[in-house]
Amino acid sequence: LTPLFCGFSEYTNQSSVTEFVLLGLSGYPELEAIYFLLVLFMYLVILLGNGVIIIVNLSFLDICYTSSSIPLFLSRFLASKKTISFSGCGVQMFLSFAMGATECVLLSMMAFDCYVAICNPLRYPVIMSKNLYVPVAAGSWIAGGVNSVLQISLAMQLPFCGDNVINHFTCEILSVLKLACADISINVISMVVANTIFLLVPLLFIFVSYVFILPTILRIPSAEGRHKAFSTCSAHLTVVIIFYGTILFTYAKLKAKDFSGADKVQVTGKIISLFYGVVTPMLNPLIYSLRNKDVKAALKNFSPGVPK
């Protein structure tokens, strides 16, 4: 990554930036209405789907994650002035960064849960007890929050005294760093370390877990047994592929574009960011939680009109 540096001398006669302009799809007005309706529909599905299962599954991470950015994203389409204050940008970055890091850690813990359930089923109740998963869940949230405080503090201390147009729908941190009129090498190094810890390490953990899971499934003699074992982890694997596949692809494009002197992130890159930010949380209730028989049973008990 090549640090961006803008000499202070060329901005000495300009005041500091107090707000940012969110460019989004301003150059493509024919796409804005379609994109607005699409994201609004998916956000309502997220609220409905996760809102239903939150009672029985405490699955509010996706609601927090999407609510940190989607309301801002939707409001930009309706507002004539597509701006966000400096402090508001920092808050939005903090929430989305914290929720994203937390989800990465939780996905790796869910892979371990699948590993124990399939490879050590008799010991599952002992290993996956409250003494393990409660501290792990709490630790995931704390780690995501601490990392977000560090990254956003470093970003918001930078001087922003020139261009204030963010070429994205929200305050995406790489797009914001590009606007700083100072050396951002410390920020880049810090983000590389954070991405290694919260993206690559959990991904490696997931990969290793499935290296043991898949051979175990294939060694099951009966087809019915293999199908049952695979269905235990298939929903989680689907979420991992969608979430990690799109986020790694998107950030690879951003790194290539934003830190190589390019002025604009391609529209396809912006639209692809929709998948890890919106599509995955929307699909989670369908491909994971609602496939769990315990959740289904709890929903039936909670809904008196649903036949048991």
Side-chain angles (χ1 to χ4, degrees), residues 29-262:
E30 67 280 3
L31 295 178
E32 284 194 314
I34 297 175
Y35 209 50
F36 172 83
L37 294 175
L38 178 63
V39 175
L40 177 61
F41 169 76
M42 289 190 288
Y43 186 49
L44 293 176
V45 172
I46 291 169
L47 294 179
L48 177 62
N50 288 282
V52 169
I53 66 173
I54 194 173
I55 300 171
V56 295
N57 201 32
L58 300 178
S59 178
F60 56 88
L61 176 62
D62 286 330
I63 292 179
C64 295
Y65 183 36
T66 54
S67 295
S68 69
S69 58
I70 294 182
L72 170 65
F73 166 79
L74 294 174
S75 68
R76 296 307 95 188
F77 284 104
L78 301 176
S80 57
K81 188 179 180 182
K82 303 180 185 300
T83 60
I84 182 173
S85 67
F86 186 83
S87 58
C89 186
V91 171
Q92 190 264 310
M93 285 194 297
F94 169 80
L95 293 174
S96 60
F97 215 98
M99 297 303 107
T102 301
E103 181 152 356
C104 290
V105 177
L106 288 179
L107 283 175
S108 67
M109 294 301 100
M110 290 164 63
F112 179 72
D113 180 83
C114 291
Y115 164 77
V116 177
I118 294 174
C119 300
N120 296 281
L122 297 180
R123 300 187 59 196
Y124 182 86
V126 177
I127 298 175
M128 300 304 298
S129 64
K130 284 187 178 180
N131 293 331
L132 176 64
Y133 66 75
V134 171
V136 165
S140 300
W141 283 87
I142 293 172
V146 170
N147 175 63
S148 186
V149 168
L150 174 63
Q151 302 302 328
I152 304 310
S153 297
L154 289 174
M156 301 307 284
Q157 289 176 5
L158 291 169
F160 296 90
C161 47
D163 187 9
N164 70 334
V165 178
I166 298 175
N167 197 5
H168 213 281
F169 298 114
T170 60
C171 291
E172 196 277 330
I173 191 166
L174 290 180
S175 299
V176 173
L177 289 179
K178 181 183 177 183
L179 303 180
C181 50
D183 186 358
I184 63 169
S185 57
I186 298 298
N187 303 78
V188 171
I189 293 171
S190 178
M191 285 197 63
V192 168
V193 173
N195 287 340
T196 301
I197 296 173
F198 289 96
L199 280 176
L200 297 183
V201 171
L203 183 60
L204 178 62
F205 190 88
I206 293 170
F207 175 78
V208 172
S209 297
Y210 278 99
V211 166
F212 290 98
I213 289 172
L214 295 179
T216 301
I217 293 176
L218 294 176
R219 286 196 297 267
I220 298 175
S222 67
E224 181 181 356
R226 289 193 298 270
H227 175 75
K228 184 178 180 179
F230 185 73
S231 65
T232 301
C233 59
S234 60
H236 171 259
L237 188 58
T238 302
V239 172
V240 168
I241 292 173
I242 295 174
F243 182 80
Y244 271 100
T246 52
I247 197 171
L248 290 175
F249 178 78
T250 301
Y251 272 82
K253 287 179 68 66
L254 283 172
K255 184 176 73 171
K257 295 287 182 182
D258 286 354
F259 293 98
S260 63

